């Protein structure tokens, strides 16, 4: 009897390992790296918050009331904070915890919506990031938004969704790196 229980437990354990896992998206935006530093010796503290109402990064609607949320393989807030930190470092800022100037990145939206029909799909991607740059005396707040729509003849793959989301996040990070108002505020106040 013990042998039967042991063998059945082993079979159940092995079958659990072979069950398919839920798909996940790899969120890996590339920061805009500046070839020439724009500042020297200025420090900035970087923080982030995830203010999205739901933590998934994609929603796939196959019709017939079959909606599947897809999560990211890593924490979106941390990935974006790291990308922004690398971007600031390339611009000549020294990211530190003891700076009088602070930049907070708020993730407001990062979502791919996929609608499948029998022979095609539509992907709508939305990204919204808010930056709050502040010192004890001054504050600068700005939202950076990206939207894209793509259509295809077959089902959308996980890779298609990753490309759509990461491409839009790259574009928003590029907008942040080119923002003259943000650069002026940081140069004058940090």
């Amino acid at each position: 009897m013990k042998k039967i229980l042991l063998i059945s437990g082993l079979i159940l354990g092995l079958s659990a390992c072979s069950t398919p896992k839920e798909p996940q998206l790899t969120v890996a935006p590339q920061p805009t790296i500046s070839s020439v530093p724009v500042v020297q010796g200025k420090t900035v503290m970087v923080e982030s918050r995830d203010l999205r109402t739901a933590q998934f990064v994609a929603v796939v609607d196959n019709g017939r009331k079959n909606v599947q949320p897809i999560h990211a393989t890593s924490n979106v807030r941390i990935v974006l904070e790291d990308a922004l930190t690398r971007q600031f470092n390339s611009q000549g800022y020294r990211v530190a915890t003891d700076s009088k100037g602070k930049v907070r990145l708020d993730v407001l939206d990062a979502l791919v919506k996929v609608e499948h029909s029998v022979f095609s799909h539509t992907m709508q991607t939305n990204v919204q990031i808010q930056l709050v740059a502040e010192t004890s005396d001054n504050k600068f707040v700005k939202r950076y938004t990206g939207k894209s729509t793509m259509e295809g003849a077959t089902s959308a793959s996980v890779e298609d969704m990753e490309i759509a989301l990461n491409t839009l996040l790259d574009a928003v990070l590029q907008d942040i790196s080119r923002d003259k108002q943000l650069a002026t505020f940081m140069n004058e106040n940090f």
Side-chain angles (χ1 to χ4, degrees):
M1 187 66 172
K2 288 182 183 179
K3 287 183 181 180
I4 292 174
L5 287 175
L6 183 62
I7 292 172
S8 63
L10 184 61
I11 290 171
L12 283 174
L14 290 174
S15 66
C17 293
S18 66
T19 57
K21 296 188 189 262
E22 293 292 319
Q24 292 185 321
L25 297 186
T26 301
V27 178
Q30 297 302 309
T32 301
I33 302 299
S34 178
S35 57
V36 178
V38 293
V39 297
Q40 290 292 333
K42 297 212 180 248
T43 60
V44 62
M45 183 169 77
V46 177
E47 298 177 336
S48 61
R49 298 186 308 184
D50 193 342
L51 302 177
R52 295 175 298 152
T53 54
Q55 297 305 302
F56 47 82
V57 291
V59 176
V60 180
D61 184 353
N62 292 320
R64 298 177 298 253
K65 298 181 182 177
N66 183 11
V67 178
Q68 176 188 15
I70 300 176
H71 293 272
T73 57
S74 54
N75 187 312
V76 174
R77 176 190 65 80
I78 292 172
V79 168
L80 286 170
E81 182 180 321
D82 180 58
L84 186 65
T85 297
R86 289 186 288 149
Q87 191 163 295
F88 283 153
N89 281 331
S90 78
Q91 293 174 338
Y93 291 98
R94 187 174 62 83
V95 177
T97 57
D98 59 347
S99 173
K100 73 173 189 171
K102 174 174 73 171
V103 174
R104 188 184 72 230
L105 179 146
D106 295 335
V107 183
L108 304 176
D109 194 11
L111 184 64
V112 180
K113 292 180 184 176
V114 181
E115 290 186 18
H116 282 281
S117 64
V118 177
F119 298 110
S120 65
H121 72 270
T122 302
M123 272 194 303
Q124 292 182 329
T125 308
N126 292 311
V127 169
Q128 189 173 39
I129 293 174
Q130 176 174 274
L131 282 189
V132 180
E134 62 185 328
T135 63
S136 58
D137 301 326
N138 295 319
K139 190 176 201 177
F140 174 87
V141 180
K142 190 165 183 180
R143 287 188 180 182
Y144 302 87
T145 304
K147 293 182 180 194
S148 71
T149 302
M150 297 161 61
E151 295 181 359
T154 60
S155 295
S157 68
V158 169
E159 291 78 20
D160 293 335
M161 291 180 246
E162 287 175 347
I163 289 169
L165 183 57
N166 286 317
T167 301
L168 204 51
L169 287 169
D170 291 351
V172 169
L173 285 170
Q174 189 173 54
D175 287 348
I176 292 170
S177 76
R178 293 180 178 170
D179 189 337
K180 301 280 190 230
Q181 291 176 319
L182 175 64
T184 300
F185 179 86
M186 291 174 70
N187 286 334
E188 292 176 356
N189 294 285
F190 290 6

